Amino acid sequence: MAAQERFSILLVDDDCTVIRILRHILADFDPLRFATSGRVALKLARASVPDLVLLDIDMPELSGFDVCKEFKSDPTLAQVPIIFITSHDSPQLETLGLQLGAADFIGKPPHASLVLARVRTYQRLKTLSDTLRSAVKMDFLTGAVTRRELEKALTQEWLRSQRSGAPLALLLGDIDGFTAYNAEFGEEKGDACLRGVADALRLAGHRPTDVLGRYAGGTFALLLPETDAQGASTVAQRAIDAVDALQIVHAVSTGRSHITVSVGVGFRDSSSPPIGHAHRDSSSEASRIGAVPDDLIATAERALQSAGAAGGRQARLVDVAAFYKSQAAVSARN
């Protein structure tokens, strides 16, 4: 039998003979763990959540039904499918098990073909579920994460930066004249252009911790943890050069020979005022400089506007603290 993809199964039965039979039948699944009591099963499951549980109903101390109740009442375990193993042929017991949240039943003694068919069914369901979850997190066209996932990652990195004082940068890269490109060449070529630019930006932010996100239309975001202004400037220029190297012919109406990007970077580095403590003697707006992740987004957007207004195909960097200090000064004058 060919090796199976990783699929974690927990076998729970106080009868060691049944455990040995199931272990032989499911030998190609990995990891495969065993428990001969309900308490041990719960301990193993909480230490590492399984993808599937095969659970005996008749066990001392904690019955299979008791274990099932514990699973379904624990948020981390509630979605794990449970197949009951039983020697009983009782519609009442089966009904009770299903009401408790069990997914299926297998009779004893277990037959190899039936056990494998049931287990493979739940393996396929898990694969489908994982694919759907990934689809929610990822932009199918470009392979970048969605804006929602990007904002989640930004929040995590922002809080980490707040605790540690580590620098943080957010780069926004906008395809210059992308609307005109789409109008002249059509949606199919527009999609190909987006994929090419996404790949170029992904190469520009090449560290495993860098996160590329689809921001909006022809705009991408690149989250750069532990990156100061100098490092962000280097990545921004690398992004501009990488898109230039694609040599994608641009729309005639733009006056550009090929596709280019404008880049705006919002950053906070060690020289920026401490988060949430800057300018407390100034206005209320200034006192919240860098207080929330959206501040970094707004700063990057302002930097991108500046790069575009200057003609595009260039980068502008703005310190989040300096940006909000200037905003506070304008508010004070008004």
Side-chain angles (χ1 to χ4, degrees), residues 243-259:
V243 173
D244 278 351
L246 296 174
Q247 288 295 301
I248 300 173
V249 176
H250 212 324
V252 174
S253 61
T254 65
R256 300 175 187 273
S257 62
H258 61 274
I259 286 290

Side-chain angles (χ1 to χ4, degrees), residues 142-143 192-205 212 220 242 246:
T142 64
C193 174
L194 287 169
R195 285 192 292 269
V197 171
D199 289 342
L201 296 178
R202 193 176 286 111
L203 289 173
L212 178 69
F220 294 88
L246 296 174

